[in-house]
Amino acid sequence: MNKTTWQQITLLPSLSDHCYLHCQTSLVQAVLIPSLITSQSLTVRDTIRECLEKDPSERSEDDVETLLEFTQHLKAFTNMTLAVRRALCSVMVFAVVEKAGTVVMNDGEELDSWSVLINGHVEVEHVNGETEQLQVGDSFGILPTMDKLYHRGVMRTRCDDCQFVCITQTDYYRIQHQGEENIQRHEEGGHVVMVTEQRGALEGGGRRGHVVIRVRFFRNKT
């Protein structure tokens, strides 16, 4: 999101009972538990929101672990290493746009964060009239660079109570580039066949070692 956006959204809101139950139900159904809502699942949702609403500097290791579990179900985080996701969870902030039809970003506005939609539905209308739909788990915003980037199209919320997690451009750039230091790509015949990530001590483990996070198989041509 950009600087203007922060003036349009509500950070850490006190939602009405109706809106709060709606966001609990929507998020648990869409992301966490595909089956019927239970009192236990609502407790899980309460725990996630409590972690998100904390200032990043006040999050405990348990809070970060809770957010790690949560983000692994979101499409935007699926291709990230554990170390990168952990670092993002430690700095992300929570934001809510309460009303449908609110402009989140205008065409050509400077971006200053990477954001992921965790509840609701937003639409981007491009200058050529085409529209793009963003659903729960989709990301938007800056790339891992400190270059100035600009949003294309007008983004609006399509329902009430759209919720986001946001990481500033500075943090996103730093974390993504630090993460690359722990990655090794193994090639055969000019193709990457395996990707490993160094894990251990820095993440609460004992020894440090490389863990396989991606393997690609090639079928021999005959």
Side-chain angles (χ1 to χ4, degrees), residues 176-196:
Q176 291 287 3
H177 284 271
Q178 283 180 347
E180 283 295 315
E181 298 173 1
N182 295 322
I183 299 298
Q184 285 190 5
R185 292 172 174 82
H186 308 266
E187 296 186 3
E188 288 185 8
H191 298 286
V192 176
V193 295
M194 183 170 62
V195 180
T196 60

Side-chain angles (χ1 to χ4, degrees), residues 51-71:
C51 295
L52 288 172
E53 289 183 344
K54 287 184 179 180
D55 186 278
S57 64
E58 297 177 352
R59 285 187 189 130
S60 66
E61 286 299 317
D62 287 343
D63 293 332
V64 174
E65 288 297 326
T66 297
L67 296 179
L68 272 173
E69 173 66 21
F70 169 61
T71 55

Side-chain angles (χ1 to χ4, degrees), residues 9 15 17 29-30 33 37 43 64 67 81 93-95 97 131 143 155-156 163 168 173 192 195:
I9 64 179
L15 297 178
D17 291 341
Q29 285 179 325
I33 301 178
I37 304 301
T43 300
V64 174
L67 296 179
T81 66
V93 296
F94 183 48
V97 181
T131 59
L143 301 173
M155 178 182 289
R156 292 184 178 88
Q163 302 178 15
T168 67
Y173 173 82
V192 176
V195 180

